[in-house]
Amino acid sequence: MWAKEYKLTKTFIGRGSFDADLLRELTEFAEKNGVRTASISVIGAIQTLGIAYYYQDSHKYENITGFENKGPFEIVSCSGNVSIKDGKPFCHVHLVAADADGHCYAGHLVEGTKIFAAEIIMQVFEGDDLVRGFDEDTKLSLWQK
Ligand code: ZN
């Protein structure tokens, strides 16, 4: 493991917009507010869900399907971070969503998650930019030293 040291400098606590796409909303908020390094936490409810799974053997994200008629959903847990990719703030977010029976669907958040209500906490850190770059082992865009 390696790590850099950061100082928590600011916490935003607010609500996402009804009908907005969760991932786009988080990314636009980070861009507008100059957030470059942060942790993200969200609970609430969503009308639709967009999640993906990374296949480690083929090195591809594939959208997860099969739950479309199970919604709307609760956001049971949603956590992520903001770092820099291609020179811009990039939100990497994972989400667990529950249907009316309490069955959960989870994965890597992609566009297609429509907010019903979202309580968002974004903790902003000060320090060197965490920059994503190609990682040979995983073929993912991961934080570079
Ligand atoms: Zn992910």
Side-chain angles (χ1 to χ4, degrees), residues 61 92 94 108:
Y61 280 101
H92 181 204
H94 287 190
H108 173 100

Side-chain angles (χ1 to χ4, degrees), residues 70-83:
K70 301 286 188 181
F73 306 95
E74 295 282 340
I75 303 174
V76 178
S77 180
C78 177
S79 62
N81 55 62
V82 181
S83 59

Side-chain angles (χ1 to χ4, degrees), residues 23-143:
L23 184 58
R24 265 188 264 149
E25 182 98 322
L26 292 168
T27 303
E28 284 168 16
F29 183 87
E31 285 171 354
K32 281 180 192 158
N33 290 279
V35 174
R36 300 180 71 79
T37 311
S39 68
I40 294 169
S41 167
V42 185
I43 59 168
I46 47 180
Q47 303 171 62
T48 59
L49 174 63
I51 46 175
Y53 178 86
Y54 186 72
Y55 285 86
Q56 297 178 12
D57 48 358
S58 60
H59 310 295
K60 276 186 189 154
Y61 280 101
E62 302 270 357
N63 283 352
I64 300 169
T65 58
F67 49 71
E68 292 76 4
N69 61 350
K70 301 286 188 181
F73 306 95
E74 295 282 340
I75 303 174
V76 178
S77 180
C78 177
S79 62
N81 55 62
V82 181
S83 59
I84 300 299
K85 185 178 176 186
D86 301 325
K88 295 183 298 193
F90 174 82
C91 296
H92 181 204
V93 180
H94 287 190
L95 186 145
V96 183
D99 67 15
D101 296 320
H103 296 128
C104 289
Y105 307 89
H108 173 100
L109 183 68
V110 295
E111 288 191 7
T113 299
K114 198 177 192 185
I115 295 172
F116 183 76
E119 297 174 350
I120 299 169
I121 300 177
M122 196 178 281
Q123 293 190 300
V124 182
F125 299 95
E126 184 184 273
D128 293 345
D129 278 349
L130 264 176
V131 179
R132 290 184 180 275
F134 181 75
D135 177 73
E136 187 57 45
D137 292 333
T138 62
K139 316 297 185 213
L140 285 164
S141 181
L142 299 181
W143 295 333

Side-chain angles (χ1 to χ4, degrees), residues 4-10 37 123-128:
K4 299 179 182 186
E5 196 171 317
Y6 292 86
K7 186 177 175 203
L8 176 63
T9 54
K10 195 186 291 182
T37 311
Q123 293 190 300
V124 182
F125 299 95
E126 184 184 273
D128 293 345

